Amino acid sequence: MCPPAHFRVTYSINPWMDPAKPVDLPLALAQWEDLRDRYRSLGHSVEELPPRPDLPDMVYAANGATVVDGRVLGARFAHPERTGEAAAHLEWFRAHGYARVREPEHVNEGEGDFAVTASWLLAGRGFRSSPLSHPEAQEFFGRPVLGLDLVDPRYYHLDTALCVLDDTTDTEIMYYPGAFSPGSRAVLARLFPDAIIATEADASSLGLNAVSDGRHVVLPQAAAGLFGPLRERGYEPIAMDLSELLKGGGSVKCCTQELRDPGR
């Protein structure tokens, strides 16, 4: 994770950013710190990736790599504004003893478009990550990669439209069907018949940009319609206010890169 020492986003697709409503930098930092402290209060270890003034979008740390079983697949960003982040993330992993690190050949934006279940990688494509990144990830991680086509530009990364609730199973997710192509919706319905289905209102507040540890689900407070269904499934929703980070197109998950390394 990386604090928003500076904050600027220059994406061509960002429905949440309004230049007439500038980011309140002290509040953005306070919201990020609240998220970090909440993870720690839930018993999780948090590593902080040092920020770089020339790479302000590093606050969205999920995009920098994907980690599965201690293997690290780096990112290759679609837009030049974020290119330098990839090397910064890989430097951190190598400095912290990760030996199985791969620099990708094809464009992928880390956990923005890769979601991990017990056996699979669900992989988004259509706006940022290249379809060619899917076989590359499958070969590296040795897990089946299931491609999902995103068709609504408001949901340009998979992590804006789908959340894995328990990565020890292959059954527990929540998602917004309207973000996906008809074929991908059919695949999701077949694989996850008991998934929590988000409404457009909850999805458009980035309610699916959430992080779950299998019990607690940390998500934007505006996605109130998801709290009841999560509780009914036995999860404990933890509401966060990341309104300033939302202006840059991200929320809880975007600010969180998960280090899945059982050996550490």
Side-chain angles (χ1 to χ4, degrees), residues 11 14 26-27 44 47 57 115 137-139 144 157 167 184 208 248:
Y11 287 156
N14 185 355
L27 181 55
H44 301 297
E47 302 281 355
D57 296 338
Q138 181 168 282
E139 187 67 21
H157 276 149
D167 65 7
S184 293
L208 296 164

Side-chain angles (χ1 to χ4, degrees), residues 72-76 86-87 90-91 94 100-106 108 136 140:
V72 182
L73 178 63
R76 183 178 292 273
L90 292 186
E91 287 171 9
R94 290 180 175 124
R100 295 172 295 179
V101 177
R102 178 183 174 91
E103 296 186 36
E105 297 179 16
H106 304 291
N108 85 75
E136 182 176 22
F140 180 63

Side-chain angles (χ1 to χ4, degrees), residues 50-67:
R52 286 177 43 176
D54 58 325
L55 298 173
D57 296 338
M58 281 176 69
V59 66
Y60 301 122
N63 302 134
T66 304
V67 185

